[in-house]
């Protein structure tokens, strides 16, 4: 799990830059079209969760209960916001799916950590 947390953390930080720029463009498009969608704003929330989750993932890769719980919460919020508020911003579903994968991996890591403590 150490390697996965390091790799997913680095990928999440790199994706932060890409998602934030893409979300700014989607937000600008939503504003200019005045369509009432919030996909761009949701994308910024997902991008911030990717950055925070990536940092936490790298810092806690050695395995701690609190770190895994923090990852579940951060990536879970990112996935929830992405899936529920994407609207016409279709790429946000991809970034939300990445957040969901990272959250599920943190759940698996937490369960494995509990099983090794027994």
């Amino acid at each position: 799990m150490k390697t996965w947390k390091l790799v997913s953390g680095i990928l999440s930080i790199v994706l932060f830059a890409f998602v934030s720029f893409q979300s700014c463009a989607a937000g600008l498009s939503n504003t200019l079209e005045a369509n009432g969608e919030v996909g761009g704003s949701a994308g910024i929330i997902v991008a911030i969760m990717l950055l925070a989750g990536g940092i936490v993932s790298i810092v806690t890769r050695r395995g701690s209960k609190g770190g895994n719980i923090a990852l579940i919460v951060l990536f879970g919020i990112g996935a929830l916001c992405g899936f529920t508020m994407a609207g016409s911003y279709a790429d946000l579903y991809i970034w939300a799916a990445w957040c969901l994968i990272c959250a599920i991996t943190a759940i698996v890591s937490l369960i494995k950590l509990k099983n090794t403590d027994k």
Side-chain angles (χ1 to χ4, degrees), residues 51-75:
L51 178 64
I55 292 170
V56 171
S57 182
I58 290 171
V59 171
T60 63
R61 70 181 176 270
R62 303 246 189 276
S64 68
K65 183 178 177 182
N68 286 325
I69 292 171
L71 288 173
I72 293 166
V73 169
L74 290 170
F75 285 125

Side-chain angles (χ1 to χ4, degrees), residues 67-103:
N68 286 325
I69 292 171
L71 288 173
I72 293 166
V73 169
L74 290 170
F75 285 125
I77 291 171
L80 182 69
C81 288
F83 283 128
T84 58
M85 296 188 285
S88 63
Y89 178 21
D91 287 354
L92 194 55
Y93 291 114
I94 297 169
W95 314 133
W98 173 253
C99 286
L100 184 62
I101 290 168
C102 290

Side-chain angles (χ1 to χ4, degrees), residues 1-88:
M1 282 295 177
K2 289 183 200 177
T3 307
W4 169 254
K5 283 188 177 182
L6 180 63
V7 170
S8 69
I10 292 171
L11 282 174
S12 294
I13 291 171
V14 170
L15 285 175
F16 156 76
F18 186 71
V19 174
S20 61
F21 287 127
Q22 197 176 32
S23 297
C24 287
L28 181 65
S29 172
N30 289 340
T31 302
L32 291 176
E33 292 176 6
N35 56 10
E37 291 186 359
V38 292
S41 301
I44 293 295
I45 294 170
V46 171
I48 291 170
M49 294 300 127
L50 280 170
L51 178 64
I55 292 170
V56 171
S57 182
I58 290 171
V59 171
T60 63
R61 70 181 176 270
R62 303 246 189 276
S64 68
K65 183 178 177 182
N68 286 325
I69 292 171
L71 288 173
I72 293 166
V73 169
L74 290 170
F75 285 125
I77 291 171
L80 182 69
C81 288
F83 283 128
T84 58
M85 296 188 285
S88 63

